Amino acid sequence: MQPTRVLLGMRYRKLRLTTKDVNKGFYKGTGSGSMGRHTKHGGYIIELAKVRTYVCPSLEGFKLTPFVTENVRPTFGGKYPAGSGPRDPATYLSRWKSENGLD
């Protein structure tokens, strides 16, 4: 009996580990890690050495632009004809055609 080709070599170890690959009771987790420790009285103490801090460099003279265009106006609610709303398919299609043109 020979092992399958996927199991040969190091290729299988580089694949993502799923719950189907291990025994019952395996908890993959989210990779978030702990930010402190639990006390014996049921509390939680945050340790500043474990808290992640992100340093943003100075953005003066930064050449790249954001993915969202500045021409987008914020919309809050809207007026729809009677019997329709923002999730109505006909309203969606008519708005899409008015903003994007025909196919």
Side-chain angles (χ1 to χ4, degrees):
M1 184 171 189
Q2 292 183 334
T4 60
R5 288 206 165 268
V6 176
L7 295 177
L8 290 175
M10 296 292 288
R11 281 190 281 172
Y12 184 71
R13 290 185 185 177
K14 293 183 180 180
L15 294 177
R16 283 190 150 180
L17 189 64
T18 64
T19 53
K20 294 182 179 181
D21 296 330
V22 292
N23 292 332
K24 181 180 176 184
F26 173 74
Y27 178 68
K28 188 173 178 181
T30 60
S32 60
S34 67
M35 299 265 223
R37 60 185 168 88
H38 293 280
T39 63
K40 64 180 179 180
H41 302 290
Y44 192 76
I45 297 175
I46 294 178
E47 298 175 0
L48 295 177
K50 290 185 170 184
V51 176
R52 291 180 187 87
T53 55
Y54 300 100
V55 179
C56 180
S58 175
L59 299 178
E60 292 181 17
F62 194 68
K63 303 275 189 218
L64 297 177
T65 59
F67 291 120
V68 179
T69 179
E70 294 178 358
N71 298 332
V72 175
R73 296 182 313 259
T75 57
F76 301 101
K79 295 184 179 180
Y80 298 98
S84 66
R87 294 189 176 189
D88 183 43
T91 306
Y92 173 79
L93 286 176
S94 64
R95 183 174 174 191
W96 188 89
K97 287 180 182 178
S98 67
E99 292 177 3
N100 299 313
L102 299 175
D103 290 345

